[in-house]
Coordinates of all heavy atoms in Angstrom, one line a residue:
M1 N -0.9 28.3 -26.7 CA -2.1 27.6 -26.3 C -1.9 26.1 -26.1 O -2.1 25.5 -25.0 CB -3.3 27.8 -27.3 CG -4.6 27.3 -26.8 SD -5.1 28.2 -25.3 CE -6.7 27.5 -25.0
R2 N -1.3 25.5 -27.1 CA -1.0 24.1 -27.0 C -0.1 23.8 -25.8 O -0.3 22.8 -25.0 CB -0.3 23.6 -28.3 CG -0.4 22.1 -28.4 CD 0.0 21.6 -29.8 NE -1.0 21.8 -30.8 CZ -0.7 21.9 -32.1 NH1 0.6 21.8 -32.5 NH2 -1.6 22.1 -33.0
V3 N 0.9 24.7 -25.6 CA 1.9 24.5 -24.5 C 1.1 24.5 -23.2 O 1.3 23.7 -22.3 CB 3.0 25.5 -24.6 CG1 3.9 25.4 -23.3 CG2 3.8 25.3 -25.8
S4 N 0.3 25.5 -23.0 CA -0.3 25.7 -21.7 C -1.3 24.6 -21.4 O -1.5 24.1 -20.3 CB -1.0 27.0 -21.6 OG -2.0 27.1 -22.5
L5 N -1.9 24.1 -22.5 CA -2.8 22.9 -22.3 C -2.1 21.7 -21.8 O -2.6 21.0 -20.9 CB -3.5 22.6 -23.6 CG -5.0 23.2 -23.8 CD1 -5.5 22.7 -25.1 CD2 -5.8 22.7 -22.6
S6 N -1.0 21.4 -22.5 CA -0.3 20.2 -22.0 C 0.3 20.4 -20.7 O 0.4 19.4 -19.9 CB 0.8 19.8 -23.1 OG 1.7 20.8 -23.2
L7 N 0.7 21.6 -20.3 CA 1.1 21.9 -19.0 C 0.0 21.6 -18.0 O 0.2 21.0 -16.9 CB 1.5 23.4 -18.8 CG 3.0 23.6 -18.8 CD1 3.3 25.1 -18.6 CD2 3.7 22.9 -17.6
A8 N -1.2 22.1 -18.3 CA -2.3 21.8 -17.4 C -2.5 20.3 -17.3 O -2.8 19.8 -16.2 CB -3.6 22.5 -18.0
A9 N -2.5 19.6 -18.4 CA -2.7 18.2 -18.3 C -1.6 17.5 -17.4 O -1.9 16.6 -16.6 CB -2.6 17.6 -19.7
A10 N -0.4 18.0 -17.5 CA 0.7 17.4 -16.7 C 0.4 17.7 -15.2 O 0.7 16.8 -14.4 CB 2.0 18.0 -17.2
T11 N 0.0 18.9 -15.0 CA -0.3 19.3 -13.6 C -1.4 18.4 -13.0 O -1.3 17.9 -11.9 CB -0.8 20.7 -13.5 OG1 0.2 21.5 -14.2 CG2 -0.8 21.2 -12.0
I12 N -2.5 18.1 -13.8 CA -3.5 17.3 -13.3 C -3.0 15.8 -13.1 O -3.3 15.2 -12.1 CB -4.7 17.3 -14.3 CG1 -5.4 18.7 -14.3 CG2 -5.7 16.2 -14.0 CD1 -6.3 18.9 -15.5
A13 N -2.2 15.4 -14.1 CA -1.7 14.0 -13.9 C -0.9 13.9 -12.7 O -0.9 12.9 -11.9 CB -0.8 13.7 -15.2
L14 N -0.1 14.9 -12.4 CA 0.7 14.9 -11.1 C -0.2 14.9 -9.9 O 0.0 14.2 -9.0 CB 1.6 16.2 -11.1 CG 3.0 16.1 -11.5 CD1 3.7 17.4 -11.5 CD2 3.7 15.1 -10.6
A15 N -1.3 15.7 -9.9 CA -2.1 15.8 -8.8 C -2.9 14.5 -8.5 O -3.1 14.1 -7.4 CB -3.1 17.0 -9.0
L16 N -3.3 13.9 -9.6 CA -4.1 12.6 -9.5 C -3.3 11.4 -9.3 O -3.7 10.4 -8.7 CB -5.0 12.4 -10.7 CG -6.1 13.5 -11.0 CD1 -6.8 13.2 -12.3 CD2 -7.0 13.5 -9.8
G17 N -2.1 11.4 -10.0 CA -1.4 10.2 -10.1 C -0.2 10.0 -9.3 O 0.8 9.4 -9.7
S18 N -0.3 10.4 -8.0 CA 0.9 10.4 -7.2 C 1.4 8.9 -7.1 O 2.6 8.7 -7.0 CB 0.7 10.9 -5.8 OG -0.5 10.3 -5.2
N19 N 0.5 7.9 -7.2 CA 1.0 6.6 -7.1 C 1.8 6.1 -8.4 O 2.4 5.1 -8.3 CB -0.2 5.6 -7.0 CG -0.8 5.6 -5.6 OD1 0.0 6.0 -4.7 ND2 -2.0 5.2 -5.4
A20 N 1.6 6.9 -9.4 CA 2.3 6.5 -10.7 C 3.8 6.8 -10.5 O 4.6 6.4 -11.3 CB 1.7 7.2 -11.9
F21 N 4.2 7.6 -9.6 CA 5.6 8.0 -9.4 C 6.2 7.2 -8.2 O 5.8 7.4 -7.1 CB 5.7 9.5 -9.2 CG 5.2 10.2 -10.4 CD1 3.9 10.6 -10.6 CD2 6.1 10.5 -11.5 CE1 3.4 11.2 -11.7 CE2 5.6 11.2 -12.6 CZ 4.2 11.5 -12.7
A22 N 7.1 6.4 -8.5 CA 7.6 5.4 -7.5 C 8.4 6.2 -6.4 O 9.3 7.0 -6.7 CB 8.5 4.4 -8.2
G23 N 8.1 5.9 -5.2 CA 8.9 6.3 -4.1 C 9.4 5.0 -3.4 O 9.1 3.9 -3.9
P24 N 10.0 5.2 -2.2 CA 10.5 4.0 -1.5 C 9.4 3.0 -1.2 O 9.6 1.8 -1.2 CB 11.1 4.5 -0.2 CG 10.7 6.0 -0.1 CD 10.3 6.4 -1.5
G25 N 8.2 3.5 -0.8 CA 7.1 2.5 -0.5 C 6.7 1.7 -1.7 O 6.5 0.5 -1.7
E26 N 6.5 2.4 -2.9 CA 6.2 1.7 -4.1 C 7.3 0.7 -4.5 O 7.0 -0.4 -5.0 CB 5.9 2.7 -5.3 CG 4.6 3.4 -5.2 CD 4.7 4.7 -4.3 OE1 5.7 4.9 -3.7 OE2 3.7 5.5 -4.4
D27 N 8.5 1.1 -4.4 CA 9.6 0.3 -4.7 C 9.6 -1.0 -3.9 O 9.8 -2.1 -4.4 CB 11.0 1.0 -4.4 CG 11.3 2.1 -5.5 OD1 10.5 2.1 -6.5 OD2 12.2 2.8 -5.3
L28 N 9.3 -0.8 -2.6 CA 9.3 -2.0 -1.7 C 8.2 -2.9 -2.1 O 8.3 -4.1 -2.1 CB 9.2 -1.5 -0.3 CG 9.3 -2.6 0.8 CD1 10.6 -3.4 0.7 CD2 9.2 -1.9 2.2
A29 N 7.0 -2.3 -2.4 CA 5.8 -3.1 -2.8 C 6.2 -4.0 -4.0 O 5.8 -5.1 -4.1 CB 4.6 -2.2 -3.0
A30 N 6.9 -3.3 -4.9 CA 7.2 -4.1 -6.2 C 8.2 -5.2 -5.8 O 8.1 -6.3 -6.3 CB 7.8 -3.1 -7.2
A31 N 9.2 -4.8 -5.0 CA 10.3 -5.8 -4.7 C 9.7 -7.0 -3.9 O 10.2 -8.1 -4.1 CB 11.4 -5.1 -3.9
Q32 N 8.7 -6.7 -3.1 CA 8.2 -7.8 -2.3 C 7.0 -8.5 -2.9 O 6.4 -9.3 -2.3 CB 7.7 -7.1 -0.9 CG 8.7 -6.5 -0.1 CD 9.5 -7.5 0.7 OE1 8.9 -8.5 1.2 NE2 10.8 -7.3 1.0
K33 N 6.7 -8.1 -4.2 CA 5.7 -8.7 -4.9 C 4.3 -8.7 -4.2 O 3.5 -9.7 -4.3 CB 6.0 -10.2 -5.3 CG 7.4 -10.3 -6.0 CD 7.4 -11.4 -7.0 CE 8.7 -11.5 -7.8 NZ 9.8 -10.6 -7.6
C34 N 4.0 -7.6 -3.5 CA 2.7 -7.5 -2.9 C 1.6 -7.6 -4.0 O 0.5 -8.1 -3.7 CB 2.6 -6.1 -2.2 SG 3.9 -5.7 -1.2
S35 N 1.9 -7.2 -5.2 CA 0.9 -7.2 -6.3 C 0.5 -8.6 -6.7 O -0.5 -8.7 -7.4 CB 1.5 -6.4 -7.5 OG 2.6 -7.1 -7.9
K36 N 1.2 -9.6 -6.2 CA 0.7 -11.0 -6.4 C -0.7 -11.1 -5.8 O -1.5 -11.9 -6.3 CB 1.6 -12.0 -5.7 CG 2.6 -12.7 -6.7 CD 3.2 -13.9 -6.2 CE 3.2 -14.2 -4.7 NZ 4.3 -15.0 -4.2
C37 N -0.9 -10.5 -4.7 CA -2.2 -10.6 -4.0 C -3.0 -9.3 -3.8 O -4.1 -9.4 -3.3 CB -1.9 -11.2 -2.6 SG -1.1 -12.8 -2.7
H38 N -2.3 -8.2 -4.0 CA -3.0 -6.9 -3.8 C -2.9 -6.0 -5.0 O -1.8 -6.0 -5.6 CB -2.4 -6.2 -2.6 CG -2.5 -6.8 -1.3 ND1 -3.6 -6.8 -0.5 CD2 -1.6 -7.5 -0.6 CE1 -3.4 -7.5 0.6 NE2 -2.2 -7.9 0.6
T39 N -3.9 -5.2 -5.2 CA -3.7 -4.0 -6.1 C -4.3 -2.8 -5.2 O -4.9 -3.1 -4.2 CB -4.5 -4.1 -7.4 OG1 -5.9 -3.9 -7.2 CG2 -4.3 -5.4 -8.1
A40 N -4.1 -1.6 -5.7 CA -4.6 -0.5 -5.0 C -6.1 -0.5 -4.9 O -6.7 -0.2 -3.9 CB -4.2 0.8 -5.7
T41 N -6.8 -1.0 -6.0 CA -8.2 -0.7 -6.0 C -9.1 -2.0 -6.3 O -10.3 -1.9 -6.1 CB -8.6 0.3 -7.2 OG1 -8.0 -0.2 -8.4 CG2 -8.1 1.6 -6.8
T42 N -8.5 -3.1 -6.6 CA -9.3 -4.3 -6.8 C -8.9 -5.4 -5.9 O -7.8 -5.6 -5.5 CB -9.2 -4.8 -8.3 OG1 -7.8 -5.1 -8.5 CG2 -9.7 -3.8 -9.2
T43 N -9.9 -6.2 -5.5 CA -9.7 -7.4 -4.6 C -9.1 -8.5 -5.4 O -9.6 -8.9 -6.4 CB -11.0 -7.8 -4.0 OG1 -11.6 -6.7 -3.4 CG2 -10.7 -8.9 -2.9
K44 N -7.9 -9.0 -5.0 CA -7.4 -10.2 -5.6 C -7.4 -11.3 -4.5 O -8.5 -11.5 -3.9 CB -5.9 -9.9 -6.0 CG -5.7 -9.4 -7.4 CD -4.3 -9.0 -7.7 CE -3.6 -10.1 -8.6 NZ -2.3 -9.6 -9.0
K45 N -6.3 -11.9 -4.2 CA -6.3 -12.8 -3.1 C -6.4 -12.1 -1.8 O -7.1 -12.5 -0.9 CB -4.9 -13.5 -3.1 CG -5.0 -14.9 -2.4 CD -3.7 -15.7 -2.7 CE -3.7 -16.9 -1.8 NZ -2.5 -17.6 -1.9
G46 N -5.8 -10.9 -1.7 CA -6.0 -10.0 -0.6 C -6.9 -8.8 -0.9 O -7.2 -8.6 -2.1
P47 N -7.3 -8.1 0.1 CA -8.1 -6.9 -0.1 C -7.4 -5.8 -0.8 O -6.2 -5.7 -0.8 CB -8.5 -6.5 1.4 CG -7.3 -7.0 2.2 CD -6.9 -8.3 1.5
S48 N -8.1 -5.0 -1.5 CA -7.5 -3.8 -2.2 C -7.0 -2.9 -1.1 O -7.5 -2.9 0.0 CB -8.5 -3.1 -3.0 OG -9.5 -2.4 -2.2
W49 N -5.9 -2.2 -1.4 CA -5.4 -1.3 -0.4 C -6.3 -0.2 -0.1 O -6.4 0.4 0.9 CB -4.0 -0.8 -0.9 CG -3.0 -1.9 -0.6 CD1 -3.2 -2.9 0.3 CD2 -1.7 -2.1 -1.2 NE1 -2.0 -3.7 0.3 CE2 -1.2 -3.2 -0.6 CE3 -1.0 -1.3 -2.1 CZ2 0.1 -3.7 -0.9 CZ3 0.2 -1.8 -2.5 CH2 0.8 -2.9 -1.9
A50 N -7.2 0.2 -1.1 CA -8.2 1.2 -0.9 C -9.1 0.8 0.2 O -9.5 1.5 1.1 CB -8.9 1.5 -2.2
S51 N -9.5 -0.5 0.2 CA -10.4 -1.0 1.2 C -9.7 -1.1 2.6 O -10.4 -0.9 3.6 CB -11.0 -2.3 0.8 OG -10.1 -3.4 0.9
V52 N -8.4 -1.4 2.6 CA -7.7 -1.4 3.8 C -7.6 0.1 4.4 O -7.9 0.3 5.6 CB -6.3 -1.9 3.6 CG1 -5.5 -1.8 4.9 CG2 -6.3 -3.4 3.2
A53 N -7.4 1.0 3.5 CA -7.3 2.4 3.9 C -8.6 2.8 4.5 O -8.7 3.5 5.5 CB -6.9 3.3 2.7
D54 N -9.7 2.4 3.9 CA -11.1 2.7 4.3 C -11.3 2.1 5.7 O -11.8 2.8 6.6 CB -12.0 2.1 3.3 CG -13.3 3.0 3.2 OD1 -13.1 4.2 3.2 OD2 -14.4 2.4 3.2
K55 N -10.9 0.8 5.9 CA -11.1 0.1 7.1 C -10.4 0.9 8.3 O -10.9 0.9 9.4 CB -10.6 -1.3 7.0 CG -10.5 -2.1 8.3 CD -10.0 -3.5 7.9 CE -9.4 -4.2 9.2 NZ -8.8 -5.5 8.8
Y56 N -9.2 1.4 8.0 CA -8.4 2.1 9.0 C -8.6 3.6 9.1 O -8.0 4.3 9.9 CB -7.0 1.7 8.8 CG -6.6 0.3 9.3 CD1 -6.6 -0.7 8.4 CD2 -6.4 0.1 10.6 CE1 -6.3 -2.0 8.8 CE2 -6.1 -1.2 11.0 CZ -6.1 -2.3 10.1 OH -5.8 -3.5 10.5
K57 N -9.5 4.1 8.3 CA -9.7 5.5 8.2 C -10.1 6.1 9.6 O -11.0 5.5 10.2 CB -10.8 5.9 7.2 CG -10.8 7.3 6.8 CD -11.4 7.6 5.4 CE -12.9 7.2 5.4 NZ -13.4 7.2 4.1
G58 N -9.4 7.2 10.0 CA -9.8 7.8 11.3 C -9.2 7.1 12.5 O -9.4 7.5 13.6
K59 N -8.5 6.0 12.3 CA -7.9 5.3 13.4 C -6.5 5.8 13.6 O -5.6 5.6 12.7 CB -7.9 3.8 13.2 CG -9.3 3.2 12.9 CD -9.4 1.8 13.4 CE -10.9 1.4 13.5 NZ -11.4 0.7 12.2
A60 N -6.2 6.3 14.8 CA -4.9 7.0 15.0 C -3.8 6.0 15.0 O -2.7 6.3 14.6 CB -5.0 7.7 16.4
D61 N -4.1 4.7 15.4 CA -3.0 3.7 15.5 C -2.9 2.9 14.2 O -2.2 1.9 14.2 CB -3.2 2.8 16.7 CG -4.6 2.1 16.6 OD1 -5.4 2.4 15.7 OD2 -4.8 1.2 17.4
A62 N -3.5 3.3 13.1 CA -3.5 2.6 11.9 C -2.1 2.3 11.4 O -1.7 1.1 11.1 CB -4.3 3.3 10.8
S63 N -1.2 3.3 11.3 CA 0.1 3.1 10.8 C 0.9 2.2 11.6 O 1.6 1.3 11.1 CB 0.9 4.5 10.7 OG 0.1 5.4 10.1
D64 N 0.8 2.3 13.0 CA 1.5 1.4 13.9 C 1.1 0.0 13.7 O 1.9 -0.9 13.7 CB 1.3 1.9 15.3 CG 2.0 3.2 15.7 OD1 2.8 3.6 14.8 OD2 1.7 3.7 16.7
K65 N -0.2 -0.2 13.6 CA -0.8 -1.5 13.5 C -0.3 -2.2 12.2 O 0.1 -3.4 12.3 CB -2.3 -1.4 13.5 CG -3.0 -1.5 14.8 CD -4.3 -2.2 14.7 CE -4.9 -2.5 16.1 NZ -6.2 -1.8 16.3
L66 N -0.4 -1.5 11.1 CA 0.0 -2.1 9.9 C 1.5 -2.3 9.8 O 1.9 -3.2 9.2 CB -0.6 -1.2 8.7 CG -2.1 -1.3 8.5 CD1 -2.5 -0.5 7.3 CD2 -2.6 -2.7 8.4
F67 N 2.2 -1.4 10.4 CA 3.6 -1.5 10.4 C 4.0 -2.9 11.1 O 4.8 -3.7 10.6 CB 4.3 -0.4 11.2 CG 5.8 -0.5 11.4 CD1 6.7 -0.4 10.4 CD2 6.2 -0.9 12.7 CE1 8.0 -0.6 10.6 CE2 7.6 -1.1 12.9 CZ 8.5 -0.9 11.8
T68 N 3.4 -3.1 12.3 CA 3.7 -4.3 13.0 C 3.2 -5.5 12.3 O 3.9 -6.6 12.2 CB 3.0 -4.3 14.4 OG1 3.4 -3.1 15.0 CG2 3.4 -5.4 15.3
Y69 N 2.0 -5.4 11.6 CA 1.5 -6.5 10.8 C 2.4 -6.9 9.7 O 2.7 -8.1 9.6 CB 0.2 -6.0 10.2 CG -0.7 -7.0 9.5 CD1 -1.5 -7.9 10.1 CD2 -0.6 -7.0 8.1 CE1 -2.3 -8.8 9.4 CE2 -1.4 -7.9 7.4 CZ -2.2 -8.8 8.0 OH -3.0 -9.7 7.3
L70 N 3.0 -5.9 9.0 CA 3.9 -6.3 7.9 C 5.3 -6.7 8.4 O 5.9 -7.6 7.8 CB 4.0 -5.1 7.0 CG 2.7 -4.7 6.2 CD1 2.8 -3.5 5.4 CD2 2.2 -5.9 5.3
K71 N 5.7 -6.0 9.5 CA 7.1 -6.3 10.0 C 7.1 -7.7 10.6 O 8.1 -8.4 10.4 CB 7.4 -5.3 11.0 CG 8.6 -5.5 11.8 CD 9.8 -4.6 11.5 CE 11.0 -5.0 12.3 NZ 12.2 -4.5 11.6
T72 N 6.1 -8.1 11.2 CA 6.1 -9.4 11.9 C 5.4 -10.5 11.2 O 5.5 -11.7 11.6 CB 5.5 -9.3 13.4 OG1 4.2 -8.9 13.2 CG2 6.3 -8.3 14.2
G73 N 4.6 -10.2 10.2 CA 3.8 -11.2 9.5 C 2.6 -11.5 10.3 O 2.6 -12.6 10.9
G74 N 1.6 -10.6 10.4 CA 0.5 -10.8 11.3 C -0.4 -12.0 10.9 O -0.3 -12.5 9.8
K75 N -1.3 -12.3 11.8 CA -2.2 -13.4 11.6 C -3.3 -12.9 10.7 O -3.9 -11.9 10.9 CB -2.8 -13.9 12.9 CG -2.0 -14.9 13.6 CD -2.5 -16.4 13.4 CE -1.6 -17.4 14.1 NZ -0.3 -17.6 13.4
M76 N -3.7 -13.7 9.7 CA -4.8 -13.3 8.8 C -6.1 -14.0 9.4 O -6.0 -14.9 10.2 CB -4.5 -13.8 7.4 CG -3.3 -13.2 6.8 SD -3.1 -13.3 5.1 CE -2.9 -15.0 4.8
S77 N -7.2 -13.6 8.8 CA -8.5 -14.1 9.4 C -8.6 -15.6 9.1 O -9.3 -16.3 9.8 CB -9.6 -13.4 8.7 OG -9.5 -13.3 7.3
D78 N -7.9 -16.2 8.2 CA -8.0 -17.6 8.0 C -6.9 -18.4 8.8 O -6.8 -19.6 8.7 CB -7.8 -18.0 6.5 CG -6.4 -17.7 6.0 OD1 -5.6 -17.2 6.7 OD2 -6.2 -17.9 4.8
G79 N -6.2 -17.7 9.7 CA -5.3 -18.3 10.6 C -3.9 -18.4 10.1 O -3.0 -18.7 10.9
D80 N -3.7 -18.2 8.8 CA -2.3 -18.2 8.3 C -1.6 -16.9 8.6 O -2.2 -15.9 9.0 CB -2.4 -18.4 6.8 CG -2.7 -19.8 6.4 OD1 -2.6 -20.7 7.2 OD2 -3.0 -20.1 5.2
D81 N -0.3 -17.0 8.5 CA 0.5 -15.7 8.7 C 0.5 -15.0 7.4 O 0.7 -15.6 6.3 CB 1.9 -16.1 9.2 CG 1.9 -16.6 10.6 OD1 1.0 -16.3 11.3 OD2 2.9 -17.3 10.9
H82 N 0.4 -13.7 7.5 CA 0.6 -12.8 6.3 C 2.0 -12.8 6.0 O 2.9 -13.0 6.8 CB 0.0 -11.4 6.6 CG 0.0 -10.5 5.4 ND1 1.1 -9.7 5.1 CD2 -0.9 -10.4 4.4 CE1 0.8 -9.0 4.0 NE2 -0.4 -9.4 3.5
K83 N 2.3 -12.5 4.7 CA 3.7 -12.3 4.3 C 4.4 -11.3 5.2 O 3.9 -10.2 5.5 CB 3.7 -11.8 2.8 CG 5.1 -11.5 2.3 CD 5.0 -11.0 0.9 CE 6.3 -10.5 0.4 NZ 7.3 -11.5 0.3
K84 N 5.6 -11.7 5.6 CA 6.4 -10.8 6.4 C 7.4 -10.0 5.5 O 7.9 -10.5 4.6 CB 7.2 -11.7 7.4 CG 8.0 -11.0 8.4 CD 8.4 -12.1 9.4 CE 9.7 -11.8 10.1 NZ 10.1 -12.9 11.0
V85 N 7.5 -8.7 5.8 CA 8.3 -7.8 5.0 C 9.7 -7.7 5.6 O 9.8 -7.1 6.7 CB 7.6 -6.5 4.8 CG1 8.5 -5.6 3.9 CG2 6.2 -6.6 4.2
E86 N 10.7 -8.1 4.9 CA 12.1 -8.0 5.4 C 12.6 -6.7 4.8 O 13.1 -6.7 3.6 CB 12.9 -9.2 4.9 CG 12.3 -10.5 5.2 CD 12.6 -11.1 6.6 OE1 13.3 -10.4 7.4 OE2 12.2 -12.2 6.9
A87 N 12.6 -5.6 5.5 CA 13.1 -4.4 5.0 C 13.4 -3.4 6.1 O 13.0 -3.7 7.3 CB 12.1 -3.8 4.0
A88 N 14.0 -2.3 5.8 CA 14.3 -1.3 6.9 C 13.0 -0.7 7.4 O 12.0 -0.6 6.6 CB 15.2 -0.2 6.3
D89 N 12.9 -0.4 8.7 CA 11.7 0.1 9.2 C 11.2 1.3 8.5 O 10.0 1.4 8.2 CB 12.0 0.5 10.7 CG 12.1 -0.7 11.6 OD1 12.1 -1.8 11.1 OD2 12.3 -0.5 12.8
A90 N 12.1 2.2 8.1 CA 11.6 3.4 7.4 C 11.0 3.1 6.1 O 10.0 3.7 5.7 CB 12.8 4.3 7.1
D91 N 11.5 2.0 5.4 CA 10.9 1.6 4.1 C 9.5 1.0 4.3 O 8.6 1.2 3.6 CB 11.8 0.7 3.4 CG 13.0 1.4 2.8 OD1 13.0 2.7 2.7 OD2 14.0 0.7 2.5
I92 N 9.4 0.2 5.4 CA 8.1 -0.4 5.7 C 7.1 0.7 6.0 O 5.9 0.6 5.6 CB 8.2 -1.4 6.9 CG1 9.2 -2.6 6.5 CG2 6.9 -2.0 7.2 CD1 9.4 -3.6 7.6
K93 N 7.5 1.7 6.8 CA 6.6 2.8 7.1 C 6.2 3.5 5.8 O 5.0 3.9 5.7 CB 7.3 3.8 8.0 CG 7.3 3.2 9.4 CD 7.9 4.2 10.5 CE 8.0 3.4 11.8 NZ 9.1 3.9 12.7
A94 N 7.1 3.7 4.9 CA 6.7 4.3 3.6 C 5.7 3.4 2.9 O 4.8 4.0 2.3 CB 8.0 4.5 2.7
L95 N 5.9 2.1 3.0 CA 4.9 1.2 2.3 C 3.6 1.3 3.0 O 2.5 1.4 2.3 CB 5.5 -0.2 2.4 CG 4.7 -1.4 1.9 CD1 4.3 -1.1 0.4 CD2 5.6 -2.6 1.9
V96 N 3.5 1.4 4.3 CA 2.2 1.5 5.0 C 1.6 2.8 4.6 O 0.4 2.9 4.3 CB 2.5 1.5 6.5 CG1 1.2 2.0 7.3 CG2 2.9 0.1 7.0
A97 N 2.4 3.9 4.4 CA 1.8 5.2 4.0 C 1.2 5.0 2.6 O 0.1 5.6 2.4 CB 2.9 6.2 4.0
V98 N 1.8 4.3 1.7 CA 1.3 4.1 0.4 C -0.1 3.3 0.5 O -1.1 3.7 -0.1 CB 2.2 3.2 -0.5 CG1 1.6 2.8 -1.8 CG2 3.5 4.1 -0.8
V99 N -0.1 2.3 1.3 CA -1.4 1.5 1.5 C -2.5 2.5 2.0 O -3.6 2.5 1.5 CB -1.2 0.3 2.5 CG1 -2.5 -0.3 2.8 CG2 -0.2 -0.7 1.9
L100 N -2.2 3.2 3.1 CA -3.2 4.0 3.7 C -3.6 5.2 2.8 O -4.6 5.8 3.1 CB -2.7 4.5 5.1 CG -2.6 3.4 6.1 CD1 -2.0 3.9 7.4 CD2 -4.0 2.7 6.4
A101 N -2.8 5.6 1.9 CA -3.1 6.7 1.0 C -3.9 6.2 -0.2 O -4.3 7.0 -1.1 CB -1.9 7.4 0.5
S102 N -4.1 4.9 -0.4 CA -4.8 4.4 -1.5 C -6.3 4.7 -1.5 O -6.9 4.6 -0.5 CB -4.6 2.8 -1.6 OG -3.2 2.5 -1.7
K103 N -6.8 5.0 -2.7 CA -8.2 5.2 -2.8 C -8.7 5.0 -4.2 O -7.9 4.9 -5.1 CB -8.7 6.5 -2.2 CG -7.9 7.7 -2.8 CD -8.4 9.0 -2.1 CE -7.4 10.1 -2.3 NZ -7.3 11.1 -1.5
Ligands
LIG1 C1 0.2 -14.5 -0.8 C2 -0.7 -13.4 -0.9 C3 -0.3 -12.1 -0.3 C4 0.8 -11.4 -0.5 C5 2.1 -11.7 -1.3 C6 0.7 -10.1 0.3 N1 -0.5 -10.1 0.9 FE1 -1.3 -8.6 2.1 N2 -3.0 -9.8 2.5 C7 -3.2 -11.0 1.9 C8 -4.5 -11.5 2.4 C9 -5.2 -12.8 2.0 C10 -5.0 -10.5 3.3 C11 -6.3 -10.5 4.1 C12 -5.9 -11.0 5.5 C13 -7.1 -11.4 6.3 O1 -8.0 -11.9 5.8 O2 -7.0 -11.1 7.6 C14 -4.0 -9.4 3.3 C15 -4.1 -8.3 4.1 C16 -3.2 -7.2 4.0 C17 -3.4 -5.9 4.7 C18 -4.5 -5.6 5.6 C19 -4.3 -6.0 7.0 C20 -5.5 -5.6 7.9 O3 -5.2 -5.4 9.1 O4 -6.6 -5.4 7.4 C21 -2.3 -5.2 4.3 C22 -2.0 -3.7 4.8 C23 -1.5 -5.9 3.4 N3 -2.0 -7.2 3.2 C24 -0.3 -5.4 2.8 C25 0.5 -6.2 2.1 C26 1.8 -5.8 1.6 C27 2.3 -4.4 1.8 C28 2.3 -6.8 0.9 C29 3.7 -6.9 0.2 C30 4.8 -6.7 1.2 C31 1.4 -7.9 0.9 N4 0.3 -7.5 1.7 C32 1.6 -9.1 0.3 C33 -2.5 -11.7 1.0 C34 -1.2 -11.3 0.6

């Protein structure tokens, strides 16, 4: 009984906590210190990634837009340039996927 219960708990943790397991996107976010200004769910200096995901929900070009934004350091609403991500395209795409999967 105890074994199956903890197995069930582990399964739930896996299902809910995919962000807790680092992949290339999470690694890059950590290396680039995105967390200085962003978290998944709360607004810091920048918007929460959940709110970004919400803003782009249903938009087919969301990944491309955010990829270009991060790759080139897009303009922010206050006119400054956003932090530019220096990394391999595939890793930036993985990072965009992490952002868009946030909720
Ligand atoms: C120095 C603070 C800072 C850092 C570091 C930073 N951001 Fe941001 N980010 C912002 C701010 C502020 C905005 C809101 C821009 C605006 O108002 O247009 C933003 C917006 C965004 C957006 C939304 C763009 C949109 O079109 O709505 C994404 C995605 C994003 N950041 C991802 C990242 C990632 C990934 C990193 C790490 C590589 C990162 N940011 C690092 C401050 C930061």
Side-chain angles (χ1 to χ4, degrees):
M1 192 57 181
R2 197 171 285 158
V3 171
S4 64
L5 261 183
S6 59
L7 254 181
T11 309
I12 291 167
L14 262 177
L16 296 178
S18 51
N19 282 341
F21 297 89
E26 286 88 349
D27 285 352
L28 185 56
Q32 298 277 329
K33 306 211 174 6
C34 311
S35 60
K36 260 195 345 204
C37 302
H38 295 282
T39 77
T41 54
T42 55
T43 306
K44 272 175 103 175
K45 204 166 168 190
S48 73
W49 283 339
S51 71
V52 176
D54 212 44
K55 171 177 160 191
Y56 284 96
K57 194 155 68 191
K59 302 210 167 91
D61 60 350
S63 311
D64 289 348
K65 272 216 170 111
L66 290 183
F67 172 75
T68 307
Y69 184 82
L70 293 175
K71 170 107 183 159
T72 60
K75 277 258 179 284
M76 302 196 290
S77 48
D78 64 3
D80 283 348
D81 290 336
H82 187 265
K83 178 181 169 65
K84 188 165 152 184
V85 181
E86 312 272 1
D89 287 3
D91 289 343
I92 299 177
K93 283 181 186 153
L95 179 50
V96 168
V98 169
V99 171
L100 290 177
S102 299
K103 52 185 164 203

